[in-house]
Amino acid sequence: MKRVRKVALILSSGLALVGCTPANFYTVRTPKPVKSTIKVVVPKDTETKWVKIDNRDNFIWDKSGKEMPRQLAETFYTAAVYGKQHGYRYFAVTQKNTNNLSGFPINDFNEMLRYCKLKGRGHFRSMCWDYDNNGQGIIVNRSVYLKVQYFKEPVPGIFLYNIEQTMKETEKYF
Amino acid sequence: MKQWFLTAASVLLLSQSVWADYEIFTGKSEPFRHRQVSKKEVIFFGELESYRKSLEEIQNAMKAHGTMGVINGLSNQSANLAKGLVGEGMKAGVTGLGIGLLYGALDPYIMSFYADQQYVQVYKIMLKNGKTVYMNRFFIGDKHPSLTELEIKSILGGK
């Protein structure tokens, strides 16, 4: 009898709360998260270009950092010269890991060289290198790949490579 | 004994910042010399990923409200950055590109998974000739041992 009373009490309390349930209780679904992907607007006076210097024999890399990574300088120089010839003043490196257009702040060849040299020091993972071979780094299998976007004007908040300065900085390596 | 242990522990904790391995990189929007600087202010300090997010937030706000109303509704960090960018630099960007401020595909960085601390401090600099330029100091630190945000801020502000 006691058990029957207990069950009845539970059922009645459940029934009493049914009225509080919103009518669409079972139809409400968690909304899907809004995708924050931004459509990239490419202005008329910019241009995207891949620059690749693939000369494994000439790729000098010494872990001590004493040797100059000439191939890296050559690639940046080639990118800068192309930009200058086509009337641009700035460029952004746009590989995902070092994408200036996403706010990556290094915009100077000498500093980028220093950044690349962090590899192998302690736990550092210099993202200049393509560890996963997915095309997101600059140095892939001892070759240098550079995807750049050129600009005629600076973009506020974005640190772009100055073409004239990059040419001056890279020339001395070869 | 207890006091000795506490002293040893605090010395060990303090020395973390001494052992910490880090590098600082500098970037400038335009080349300039230190003697040309008339005013310098920090418009952003935070993790690299936060910088990307702030740029994204500003870009979205600009799309919604235009350059003038960009600061409304932004987080504090993004609002500070937007305030620093709105003005001469922003106008130059808008007119220069013809179609409004452009930021590229604001990809999240893969590197946030890796064992580095990455902070960026962005300065707005007024030059004596009236020109506004931007400079950043980019901190990359080994997480073993890691530094606190306060320590990183003081390292970046030190020079």
Side-chain angles (χ1 to χ4, degrees):
Chain A
M1 189 62 191
K2 210 175 177 184
R3 203 173 169 183
V4 172
R5 229 187 287 165
K6 215 183 225 177
V7 171
L9 191 74
I10 291 168
L11 282 174
S12 59
S13 58
L15 281 171
L17 288 171
V18 163
C20 309
T21 320
N24 57 352
F25 184 78
Y26 295 105
T27 55
V28 171
R29 287 192 170 87
T30 318
K32 283 182 182 173
V34 180
K35 227 179 167 187
S36 62
T37 314
I38 291 165
K39 195 181 171 191
V40 184
V41 186
V42 181
K44 286 171 192 163
D45 56 354
T46 73
E47 187 180 335
T48 305
K49 187 176 168 58
W50 274 98
V51 184
K52 181 192 168 195
I53 303 284
D54 189 4
N55 187 355
R56 289 168 181 233
D57 295 337
N58 285 341
F59 191 84
I60 304 161
W61 190 265
D62 174 20
K63 275 191 175 174
S64 69
K66 283 176 187 167
E67 295 290 339
M68 291 303 168
R70 191 165 61 91
Q71 199 169 349
L72 200 65
E74 265 182 25
T75 317
F76 273 80
Y77 181 78
T78 309
V81 167
Y82 178 90
K84 195 182 177 184
Q85 283 170 350
H86 290 79
Y88 296 104
R89 288 174 60 212
Y90 306 93
F91 69 84
V93 170
T94 59
Q95 260 109 327
K96 192 169 182 173
N97 294 343
T98 52
N99 190 348
N100 294 119
L101 299 183
S102 290
F104 187 75
I106 295 179
N107 68 336
D108 177 278
F109 176 74
N110 289 328
E111 294 291 79
M112 184 49 115
L113 202 60
R114 229 161 44 82
Y115 177 64
C116 292
K117 283 180 181 178
L118 277 183
K119 191 196 177 201
R121 186 171 127 189
H123 298 89
F124 284 117
R125 296 265 300 191
S126 172
M127 299 314 293
C128 167
W129 296 75
D130 198 324
Y131 296 96
D132 308 319
N133 206 13
N134 58 4
Q136 304 295 357
I138 292 173
I139 300 170
V140 187
N141 296 330
R142 295 167 68 87
S143 292
V144 181
Y145 295 82
L146 207 59
K147 190 184 178 188
V148 295
Q149 187 166 343
Y150 295 101
F151 293 87
K152 287 183 177 169
E153 298 288 336
V155 183
I158 297 292
F159 289 91
L160 300 172
Y161 287 82
N162 182 307
I163 283 178
E164 288 290 337
Q165 196 187 335
T166 306
M167 283 175 71
K168 273 183 209 161
E169 284 175 353
T170 48
E171 265 170 355
K172 58 189 173 200
Y173 292 107
F174 46 89
Chain B
M1 182 66 184
K2 194 182 169 187
Q3 203 172 9
W4 182 87
F5 177 76
L6 283 172
T7 315
S10 56
V11 166
L12 193 71
L13 279 173
L14 282 171
S15 57
Q16 294 280 299
S17 60
V18 178
W19 292 334
D21 190 12
Y22 63 83
E23 282 288 334
I24 295 169
F25 300 89
T26 305
K28 294 170 181 174
S29 64
E30 294 285 337
F32 65 89
R33 291 183 190 280
H34 189 67
R35 63 171 183 268
Q36 294 175 278
V37 176
S38 80
K39 196 184 160 195
K40 186 172 160 185
E41 62 170 311
V42 175
I43 58 170
F44 182 90
F45 169 78
E47 284 187 79
L48 183 57
E49 183 63 17
S50 307
Y51 187 58
R52 182 192 69 79
K53 282 181 181 163
S54 285
L55 289 178
E56 194 172 33
E57 210 183 322
I58 294 168
Q59 178 173 267
N60 286 340
M62 282 193 74
K63 279 184 180 171
H65 313 293
T67 321
M68 299 313 286
V70 71
I71 292 162
N72 297 332
L74 292 179
S75 65
N76 278 351
Q77 202 174 32
S78 304
N80 269 346
L81 179 62
K83 271 181 209 165
L85 297 177
V86 171
E88 289 309 307
M90 185 69 93
K91 279 179 203 157
V94 173
T95 53
L97 297 171
I99 53 153
L101 183 72
L102 165 104
Y103 294 139
L106 293 161
D107 296 322
Y109 294 103
I110 301 171
M111 53 190 146
S112 49
F113 293 112
Y114 299 123
D116 296 337
Q117 288 187 292
Q118 317 212 28
Y119 279 80
V120 65
Q121 182 149 289
V122 180
Y123 300 87
K124 182 181 185 178
I125 293 169
M126 295 288 286
L127 300 181
K128 283 174 184 166
N129 61 10
K131 205 175 167 186
T132 305
V133 292
Y134 297 91
M135 187 180 100
N136 74 67
R137 284 170 63 74
F138 179 33
F139 172 98
I140 302 181
D142 195 329
K143 271 186 182 167
H144 307 283
S146 60
L147 294 171
T148 64
E149 201 166 282
L150 207 65
E151 284 170 326
I152 293 170
K153 199 170 187 176
S154 98
I155 290 167
L156 285 176
K159 283 180 189 175

